């Protein structure tokens, strides 16, 4: 039997990058997938890809995690056979801009804080009570090396990931005495649309970020997430800090000549 056979896994921000790879990796282990993101057409494409590879069940729905009432409604109104969520992967997140704090556009801050912190909190608040009452569950949050060491021009993005770290630790403490686990998976540079989104679609600038290094791939991170989720029920992996071999931390990078 596959390690996560029949488990219900919800992945936020599932339409691309780490979220998409995570959905595929969980399906490979026999899990049923609840996919959500803002871009429904992309989710429908992923749903088809998952079903084509023999995924046991997929339900996709549009969700903007920044909207609290929408999040609460979407989780409360899940089809009956999709309500008993076993694993929540709080993956939805983004960076916007790379500039000095005192010169940055506050709109960038709003979007990062609303998605990376408040969105994560809203989904957690909506899903975790069910896990507690069923006596099983696992919350896996996406952190970052940026949550450990703040880098130049990234104060607010780094702050959101430091908040994610604190929230994961706090949630773990608050869940003591229950069977619900909390893990933070904290990657460094991963080759996704992350930099393109950060630079508002400037692909040339985005490509330079990954030049002359071998970045992590979304599948590498998905692999760590599924590994954490497939440990025996009494084992809690608190965090997984992972980078490419070319990165030591959020400040130290080795570019090949
Ligand atoms: C992504 C890692 O260093 O590009 O969270 O900000 S970094």
């Amino acid at each position: 039997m596959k390690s996560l056979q029949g488990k219900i896994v919800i992945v936020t921000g599932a339409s691309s990058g780490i979220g998409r790879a995570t959905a595929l990796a969980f399906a490979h282990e026999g899990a049923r997938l609840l996919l959500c993101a803002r871009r429904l057409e992309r989710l429908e494409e992923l749903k088809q890809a998952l079903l084509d590879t023999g995924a046991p069940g997929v339900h996709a729905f549009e969700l903007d995690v920044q909207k609290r009432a929408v999040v609460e409604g979407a989780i409360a109104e899940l089809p009956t056979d999709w309500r008993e969520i076993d694993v929540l992967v709080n993956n939805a997140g983004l960076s916007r801009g790379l500039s000095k704090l005192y010169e940055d556009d506050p709109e960038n801050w709003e979007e990062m804080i609303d998605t990376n912190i408040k969105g994560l909190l809203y989904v957690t608040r909506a899903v975790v009570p069910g896990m507690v009452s069923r006596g099983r569950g696992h919350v896996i949050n996406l952190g970052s090396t940026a949550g450990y060491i703040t880098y130049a021009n990234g104060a607010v993005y780094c702050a959101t990931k430091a908040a994610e770290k604190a929230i994961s630790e706090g949630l773990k403490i608050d869940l003591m005495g229950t069977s619900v686990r909390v893990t933070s998976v904290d990657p460094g540079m991963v080759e996704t649309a992350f930099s393109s989104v950060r630079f508002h679609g400037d692909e040339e600038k985005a490509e330079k970020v990954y030049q002359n290094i071998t970045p992590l791939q979304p599948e590498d991170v998905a692999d760590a997430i599924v590994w954490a989720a497939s440990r025996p029920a009494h084992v809690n992996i608190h965090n997984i800090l992972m980078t490419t071999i070319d990165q030591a931390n959020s400040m130290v990078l080795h570019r090949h000549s």
Side-chain angles (χ1 to χ4, degrees):
M1 191 162 98
K2 293 179 177 178
S3 65
L4 295 162
Q5 195 73 43
K7 299 273 184 207
I8 298 181
V9 179
I10 182 167
V11 181
T12 67
S15 57
S16 64
I18 294 170
R20 187 179 200 282
T22 299
L24 286 158
F26 271 113
H28 189 73
E29 292 304 325
R32 296 168 61 203
L33 266 304
L34 274 169
L35 310 174
C36 53
R38 284 183 293 189
R39 295 174 295 185
L40 187 60
E41 70 293 349
R42 288 214 181 199
L43 288 183
E44 292 296 348
E45 178 272 320
L46 173 59
K47 177 179 175 176
Q48 201 47 55
L50 285 162
L51 293 173
D52 289 347
T53 57
V58 185
H59 177 70
F61 59 100
E62 190 179 329
L63 187 70
D64 181 350
V65 299
Q66 299 178 58
K67 299 185 173 140
R68 177 154 61 102
V70 174
V71 170
E72 288 167 357
I75 299 301
E77 286 153 26
L78 282 171
T80 347
D81 57 338
W82 283 99
R83 290 198 181 150
E84 302 205 342
I85 296 169
D86 295 289
V87 182
L88 161 62
V89 183
N90 272 316
N91 164 73
L94 79 178
S95 67
R96 283 290 195 195
L98 192 65
S99 40
K100 291 185 191 296
L101 179 73
Y102 63 88
E103 295 170 348
D104 202 359
D105 179 352
E107 282 296 317
N108 286 334
W109 309 341
E110 308 281 11
E111 210 178 339
M112 290 188 282
I113 291 168
D114 287 354
T115 309
N116 302 2
I117 305 178
K118 290 165 72 179
L120 179 147
L121 288 169
Y122 297 156
V123 180
T124 302
R125 180 67 182 84
V127 172
V128 172
M131 290 178 167
V132 172
S133 64
R134 287 187 295 277
R136 63 172 203 276
H138 194 162
V139 180
I140 303 180
N141 293 328
L142 265 294
S144 170
T145 47
Y148 292 68
I149 300 177
T150 304
Y151 52 76
N153 301 315
V156 177
Y157 175 71
C158 294
T160 67
K161 291 300 175 177
E164 177 281 334
K165 192 166 176 285
I167 290 165
S168 297
E169 287 166 7
L171 180 63
K172 175 70 211 133
I173 295 164
D174 292 345
L175 284 165
M176 291 303 291
T178 78
S179 302
V180 182
R181 305 186 283 182
V182 183
T183 300
S184 181
V185 175
D186 309 332
M189 293 168 80
V190 186
E191 193 167 26
T192 63
F194 177 86
S195 293
S196 165
V197 172
R198 162 168 270 171
F199 298 125
H200 297 270
D202 184 335
E203 297 300 337
E204 206 178 315
K205 232 170 156 182
E207 269 171 33
K208 286 207 177 104
V209 174
Y210 308 111
Q211 244 168 30
N212 298 332
I213 63 159
T214 306
L216 291 177
Q217 294 302 313
E219 292 73 21
D220 299 322
V221 184
D223 193 34
I225 292 169
V226 170
W227 176 79
S230 52
R231 294 312 85 211
H234 69 286
V235 177
N236 188 64
I237 305 298
H238 288 232
N239 61 297
I240 299 175
L241 176 60
M242 60 190 297
T243 64
T244 155
I245 191 75
D246 294 328
Q247 184 173 21
N249 58 44
S250 67
M251 296 288 284
V252 179
L253 198 63
H254 172 74
R255 292 202 190 265
H256 312 158
S257 45

